[in-house]
Amino acid sequence: MTEEAVTDHSLTPVLRVLRSCLHLMVAALLALAAVRAVADRTSDAPAVIATAVALFAVYAVGPRLPRLRSSAGAAGLWLAAVALLWLVLLALTPDGVWLAFPIFFVQLHLLPLRWALPTVVATTVAAIAGFGWHTHTLSVGTVLGPVLGAAVAVAVVLGYEALYRESEQRRRLIEELTAARSELAAAERSAGVLAERERLAREIHDTLAQGLSSIQLLLRAAERALPVRPDTALGHVRQARTAAVDNLAEARRFVRALSPPDLEAGSLPAALERLCTTTVRTSGLAVHCQVSGAPTALPTPHEVALLRIAQSALANTVQHARADRVELTLSYMDTEVALDVVDDGAGFVPAEVPAPGSAAARGTGFGLAAMRARARALHGTLAVESAPGEGTAIAVTLPCPAAPATSEAAS
């Protein structure tokens, strides 16, 4: 059985019609042979009719046997029975030669090509010999008829098999493309989920987490001042309440992916000034902000990233550096904008900072990772220079398009 032979349920409507036409051709040619034998009143008419009926019965049983489509041996036995009955019919009447043409198709369909071609040649020779034996002559037409019929059958079957292989290749290609598209869609969904998760993690770290830390420091200061300095304690509580309100607004905005309120209310230098003032008020740390160069309009993602990096850097200084002074510098250059945050605190070894999520991190280390991620997302760079006892310097540089100056430097 050839690999191109297909099961009934996989046949296309066109192939079902062609197969039905082949079966009808066999039945019609057998009927023609029987009718001709009766009409000619030959002595072999009963034998011709019996052989035609037997051949039709064997041929009709074949398509209904599932083993013929799964077993080469069963297909070979069935074809041998059909061929034997056909040879008997050919010996009884010259009209049996016409059955060679549909038999060619059956042989080519069921047998492997290396066996089908010799079988077709043998059938062609038998058809020519049988017809010549009945007519007692061997003309060019007698030879060319079966030969041309065999050639047409071989060409049709080989052409169909080539088209079937090409169709199968296209079907497999379409399936692979569909599977690849599904995998790509799933990867894009996963990447989108991870990107949104990373965005929320950065926003929470740079806003809510820092705000909660400030509230905690203010409430702790209020707790210490409450017994002897109730006015001071009340001031700390009011600052904590203001910080809570501000962080609630920040939470609502980053959930909706909106710009920070400090940027909506003014320029980036002004927002950094307000950040430094708030840090001084809540932590007591001396923070100095300055702007270098002529301020220019930056894309909103650049301003948001610089503000968030400044928030994270100052929060790290307040929580870990034990510093007395911080210098924050925003520098506008021709094609870049830079932000430097330098403190005089305890310092650390940057290479020894554990990766976020590792066992050694214990909830730390995400600030630097988030700052690097923000800079990398805008094709910028972030550098950290620090050593124990020598303070820390964080420098971020972002490329930006040239734009006309639209704001004034902060005082």
Side-chain angles (χ1 to χ4, degrees):
M1 178 180 178
T2 61
E3 62 180 359
E4 286 79 11
V6 290
T7 58
D8 289 343
H9 67 272
S10 65
L11 291 174
T12 64
V14 174
L15 291 179
R16 289 193 182 95
V17 171
L18 291 177
R19 189 180 66 170
S20 299
C21 291
L22 181 66
H23 298 336
L24 290 175
M25 181 186 297
V26 172
L29 291 175
L30 287 173
L32 176 64
V35 170
R36 288 280 298 273
V38 172
D40 293 343
R41 298 179 180 181
T42 61
S43 59
D44 294 331
V48 170
I49 295 173
T51 305
V53 171
L55 179 55
F56 179 77
V58 173
Y59 181 86
V61 168
R64 291 169 174 77
L65 296 178
R67 282 187 60 83
L68 289 184
R69 294 188 293 271
S70 60
S71 172
L77 289 176
W78 180 76
L79 279 175
V82 171
L84 179 61
L85 289 171
W86 172 69
L87 289 174
V88 173
L89 183 64
L90 183 62
L92 294 173
T93 174
D95 294 325
V97 70
W98 305 114
L99 284 164
F101 186 68
I103 290 176
F104 291 152
F105 286 98
V106 176
Q107 292 169 339
L108 290 167
H109 179 69
L110 290 180
L111 295 177
L113 191 61
R114 64 180 182 275
W115 296 109
L117 292 179
T119 304
V120 169
V121 171
T123 303
T124 304
V125 172
I128 295 173
F131 192 78
W133 180 70
H134 281 288
T135 59
H136 304 289
T137 183
L138 198 63
S139 64
V140 174
T142 303
V143 176
L144 285 181
V147 170
L148 289 177
V152 169
V154 171
V156 169
V157 171
L158 292 182
Y160 160 73
E161 291 180 354
L163 291 175
Y164 181 81
R165 283 193 297 270
E166 183 178 354
S167 175
E168 283 296 295
Q169 290 175 355
R170 291 183 177 180
R171 182 185 61 79
R172 286 192 293 268
L173 179 60
I174 292 173
E175 290 178 352
E176 292 174 359
L177 289 175
T178 303
R181 181 179 296 177
S182 300
E183 293 176 358
L184 180 60
E188 289 178 347
R189 286 193 298 269
S190 177
V193 170
L194 292 176
E196 182 63 12
R197 184 180 298 172
E198 183 179 356
R199 184 187 73 84
L200 290 175
R202 288 198 304 263
E203 297 292 348
I204 290 173
H205 177 272
D206 294 342
T207 57
L208 296 185
Q210 312 305 342
L212 291 174
S213 297
S214 298
I215 293 171
Q216 181 185 23
L217 292 175
L218 289 168
L219 292 178
R220 187 176 298 170
E223 183 180 14
R224 288 195 301 266
L226 187 60
V228 293
R229 299 190 306 278
D231 293 339
T232 303
L234 180 60
H236 291 323
V237 171
R238 287 173 176 170
Q239 290 179 8
R241 185 178 64 183
T242 301
V245 171
D246 292 342
N247 279 270
L248 180 60
E250 287 278 12
R252 290 170 176 167
R253 287 176 178 274
F254 75 66
V255 166
R256 298 194 300 268
L258 299 178
S259 300
D262 285 341
L263 289 178
E264 289 188 351
S267 63
L268 176 61
L272 293 176
E273 282 282 2
R274 285 191 292 272
L275 173 63
C276 293
T277 301
T278 302
T279 304
V280 171
R281 185 176 65 249
T282 57
S283 66
L285 182 65
V287 183
H288 179 253
C289 178
Q290 61 179 351
V291 177
S292 173
T296 59
L298 297 175
T300 300
H302 287 60
E303 293 187 340
V304 172
L306 292 171
L307 179 60
R308 295 306 190 201
I309 290 173
Q311 288 176 325
S312 183
L314 289 177
N316 285 344
T317 302
V318 172
Q319 295 179 31
H320 308 296
R322 301 190 301 275
D324 296 322
R325 183 175 178 82
V326 180
E327 293 287 341
L328 188 148
T329 305
L330 178 64
S331 303
Y332 290 93
M333 294 169 279
D334 292 339
T335 59
E336 295 178 332
V337 60
L339 177 70
D340 299 286
V341 182
V342 182
D343 67 59
D344 59 355
F348 63 99
V349 179
E352 295 180 359
V353 176
S358 64
R362 297 182 181 179
T364 64
F366 186 80
L368 288 175
M371 286 188 276
R372 287 194 179 95
R374 288 185 185 277
R376 186 168 54 250
L378 297 174
H379 308 288
T381 60
L382 185 136
V384 179
E385 295 182 3
S386 183
E390 298 183 7
T392 301
I394 296 176
V396 58
T397 302
L398 301 179
C400 60
T406 58
S407 60
E408 295 179 357
S411 57

